[in-house]
Amino acid sequence: MAARLSRGAHSVAGQVFALQAVIVLLLITAAALALVFQARYDSQRDARNRSLAAAEAFAHAPGLPAALMSPDPTAVLQPLADAARKASGLDFIAVMDLRGVRYTDSRPELIGRRASDVSRAAAGESFTQVFKGQPSDAVRAVVPVRNADGEVIGLVGTGIEVEHVAHAVEGQLPLLVGAAAGGLLLGTAGAALVSRRLLHQTRGLGAAEMTRMNEHHEAVLHAVREGVLIIGNDQRLILANDEARRLLDLPQDAEDHDVAELGLDPRTTELLASGRVVTDHVHLAGDRLLAVNVRPTMAYAGRPAGRVVTLRDSTELASVSGRAEVARSRLQLLYDAGVRIGTTLDVARTAEELSEVAVPRFADFVTVELLEPVLRGDEPAGGVHTEMRRAAMTGIRTDSPLQPVGDLIRFEVPTAPMAAALDAGHAVLAADLNAAMGWRAQDSQGTRVALEYGLHSLISVPLLARGVVLGMANFWRADTPEPFDGEDLSFAEELGARAAVSVDNARRFTREHAMAVTLQRSLLPRVLPDQSAVDVAFRYLPATAGVGGDWFDVIQLPGARVALVVGDVVGHGVHAAATMGRLRTAVHNFSTLDLPPDELLGHLDELINRIDQDEAGVAGNGNGNGDMVRGADGSRGGAGGEDAGPDGTPEGAAAVTGATCLYAVYDPVSGRCRMASAGHPGPALIRPGGRVEFPEMPAGIPLGVGGMPFEAVEFQLPEDSRLVLFTDGLVEDRDRDFDSGLRLLAETLSRPGRSPDEACSDVLEAMLFPVPSDDIALLVADTRRLEADRIAEWEVPGDYSAVSRVRNAGSAQLVEWGLEDIAFTAELILSELVTNAIRYGSAPVRVRLLRDRSLICEVSDGSSTSPHLRYAATTDEGGRGLFLVAQYAERWGTRYTDRGKVIWAELPLTGGGEPQAPPLDLDALEDLAW
């Protein structure tokens, strides 16, 4: 606190306060003295006036001349004088003769005594004076008394003693002193307020500090190389430093002038007068490029008091910053090229991306030519290249005079920039195409049109990867007036080198993709089997980024049934396609066993586990325990250091784990469908009315995981229902989740009156992504029912005599169907199958004939005993039953049901398979055993 008081006392504010206090004190004191003297003067003047008025009144009183001429004037006038004195408030009234002898006086002892200095009144003149002498000092007036003739016959003197006049002044002193004290307090308080505000504004600085600060301010303001302007709210210039005057060419008397009167250009005047806040605004003032900043200045209580403008000359930095901006834009362009070129792994699209990224930021037109093998994905041959195929062209306008995409471009003149670049292996610059005679000689007519169009500068860059020429990139300028220079040449070569790597990657991917697609399509069914259970259409689309392991299948099963299969192998590339082929073959093999869907998936899961174990053992390091060798990057590989496959998995060591499969069996006789899933999405069911459902499926685990059984579900399909099986690549992608895909699929499938093939087209049109990231397999199957008149069934009693009745009933049914040509063969097969079912099976025994694309004979019983074909010796009495069935039937087999088995045999509907031997005794054959 003491330090603050000491600082305040020695500050400019403290000194101003002290000076103001002294001045106020002096002014109040002087005013008080002046008031005292004025009061004294006023009192004396008032005493003179009162005295003179009273003397004049008494001297002109009637009877006074007579009283003066009376024998005893004192007796007559003394009472009158006392009364008049008291009434007028005077100290004395004296009546005197011409010599000044008093007839009356307030003091009786002075009567008869002579007053001094009354000669002027005796001469007829009235006067007032401050009398000093005996008997007392007084302010008196002396007036002559005249008779009727105007002669002075006496004198009247009145007055107030000086002591009484001083008492009147002293009575006013308290008021004067109070007023002076109040004025002193008010003045001191005002000085304190002013000093306090000054202390706040000067922050307690002393005079020396203020002087030094002002010197620094002047030095900085006028020595800094940045213009400073202070402009008031009235748009008048308050201050301008030397640099601001130089930058804006201001006159010397610019201060206190309106901004509009300074003679500046309109844009500068508008910027300075607008008052808007700007930061590093680049402004052209004359031939100078200025960086302008405008900020408001704040006065007391936060009210804006104007604005401060700073000006920085950046003209000298313009060229340097321009070059820096060009370098920055080139770096940004290279970054964009790295991001945008090679996003699709398509050769033609990669060439287009190269041309698009350079227009218009680097060139006005860009053309890209590639060798024919590169476009196909093949390895380009070495040697001299004289022709290429134009793969891409991009320009700032569409009316380019250059040859269009798809044309064959030839480089036959060695001195042309393109041929020279290919020969040298680096970029070649033709800054002025008018002087490029080799280019003009290549095609005189075409180059003339190009020059007339405005093409004037060219950079030709060979696209090289691993030292092999892939193609050529040409950068042209037409509307840009500046030709290409050496820096542009280096940049174009860098851009071409980066693009060449992307083109080579796309070429290699194209080759691998074509191989994988070829393998994939060769492993998928090309022609679906003839069957009557379903009307099927399918679509398969490989992923753009790499072929996966999606597959589908339609497998004909005994009993006019059909199996619908859809699966997906995790991964992409040749390995995934090969794995898919193995799984499809395994499904075909297991389907011949006529297993239920859940059991078939269980066998397939075991097979995959064995395959994975065998491949893991082959890929082991031979140390006897099957351990895998891991590289420095943690990847798995064999002891021999096998190369990785296209999908990144080491060849010979890739696991199949993660494959999914949906296996469904449809029976057109009963209309029932039984299916099981191994981690695969369930099918869509479209009922005859058009309602789309997704039946609940048991959540199965993917194939190869093992440890959990699969569960099948069975449901009845109405006649004319539609089943749609698909892989997850159809419904989900990076930009769409699975549930959204299912909703869109249901909406698309609900369209009525569409055939299976039309439904496939509708689904792909609605759901296909422009660039699918996964394979798509789609299978649409319209279910059919086998008509009742094509089905014949009989219950067979457990008596051998029933065999002939069943045989005869079957023969009659065949005649009714118009199949008399195969009646004997059918009777033979029925006789053998029914006889053996009664002999070796268990009740109930049933016979069913189905007329489909072939005649299907089925005999079922409640036993699960597995029959097998035997070759009986010549001496054996039995054992030839199934042998005969196998000889006469086109196909035969056994399938197991929940309550027994079914032995079936298929016969062609024509008689081509009928035996040529004489008719046999079928009753004798009933004793044959299998």
Side-chain angles (χ1 to χ4, degrees), residues 312-334:
R312 185 172 65 256
D313 190 359
S314 59
T315 306
E316 298 176 356
L317 300 177
S319 59
V320 177
S321 61
R323 291 193 295 271
E325 178 62 23
V326 170
R328 187 200 65 79
S329 64
R330 295 290 168 81
L331 288 175
Q332 182 64 38
L333 182 55
L334 286 177

Side-chain angles (χ1 to χ4, degrees), residues 479-729:
D479 290 9
T480 303
E482 297 83 7
F484 289 115
D485 55 20
E487 293 183 359
D488 296 327
L489 182 67
S490 300
F491 172 77
E493 195 156 23
E494 175 67 20
L495 184 59
R498 296 193 179 196
V501 174
S502 297
V503 171
D504 190 50
N505 289 338
R507 180 198 62 79
R508 298 175 64 185
F509 174 80
T510 300
R511 182 186 62 186
E512 299 295 334
H513 185 266
M515 293 173 57
V517 168
T518 302
L519 176 61
Q520 179 87 336
R521 293 193 181 278
S522 67
L523 296 175
L524 289 173
R526 298 183 181 181
V527 179
L528 297 180
D530 292 333
Q531 42 79 36
S532 303
V534 291
D535 183 14
V536 181
F538 64 90
R539 294 290 189 276
Y540 169 75
L541 293 178
T544 304
V547 176
D550 292 12
W551 92 90
F552 66 92
D553 218 333
V554 177
I555 304 173
Q556 188 176 8
L557 298 177
R561 295 170 304 133
V562 66
L564 304 176
V565 190
V566 172
D568 187 1
V569 175
V570 175
H572 295 85
V574 175
H575 172 74
T579 303
M580 177 274 295
R582 299 166 74 179
L583 292 183
R584 179 170 178 257
T585 302
V587 170
H588 264 274
N589 292 334
F590 288 135
S591 68
T592 60
L593 301 177
D594 213 347
L595 299 173
D598 50 343
E599 294 184 19
L600 185 143
L601 292 181
H603 286 293
L604 191 62
D605 183 59
E606 294 178 3
L607 175 64
I608 290 177
N609 284 327
R610 288 198 300 270
I611 292 175
D612 287 345
Q613 292 173 3
D614 294 342
E615 290 182 346
V618 171
N621 58 7
N623 59 5
N625 56 12
D627 291 340
M628 298 296 295
V629 176
R630 292 191 178 269
D633 60 350
S635 60
R636 188 172 65 175
E642 299 96 324
D643 293 334
D647 59 351
T649 307
E651 295 290 350
V656 189
T657 302
T660 64
C661 182
L662 175 65
Y663 188 86
V665 176
Y666 172 67
D667 186 354
V669 178
S670 63
R672 301 195 65 79
C673 182
R674 185 181 182 91
M675 63 180 64
S677 172
H680 199 88
L685 172 61
I686 299 90
R687 296 190 177 273
R691 184 163 59 93
V692 181
E693 301 176 0
F694 294 95
E696 291 291 337
M697 294 286 298
I701 60 176
L703 299 172
V705 176
M708 295 293 292
F710 296 96
E711 183 179 353
V713 62
E714 184 175 281
F715 46 88
Q716 184 74 33
L717 294 183
E719 192 170 356
D720 297 329
S721 297
R722 173 172 289 176
L723 279 175
V724 179
L725 285 69
F726 53 88
T727 56
D728 56 1

Side-chain angles (χ1 to χ4, degrees), residues 685-693 720 722 724 743-767 780 782:
L685 172 61
I686 299 90
R687 296 190 177 273
R691 184 163 59 93
V692 181
E693 301 176 0
D720 297 329
R722 173 172 289 176
V724 179
R743 287 193 294 269
L744 181 58
L745 178 62
E747 180 181 347
T748 306
L749 292 174
S750 63
R751 296 178 58 184
R754 308 295 287 176
S755 67
D757 192 72
E758 290 173 338
C760 287
S761 300
D762 293 343
V763 169
L764 293 184
E765 181 181 357
M767 309 201 56
V780 177
D782 282 356

Side-chain angles (χ1 to χ4, degrees), residues 803-804 807-808 811 823-832 835 884 888 919-928:
V803 176
S804 59
R807 185 173 62 239
N808 294 332
S811 179
F824 177 78
T825 306
E827 289 180 29
L828 174 62
I829 292 175
L830 280 177
S831 179
E832 291 300 324
T835 300
L884 291 175
Y888 286 103
L920 299 177
D921 184 1
L922 297 180
D923 292 330
L925 293 175
E926 294 177 3
D927 295 331
L928 298 176

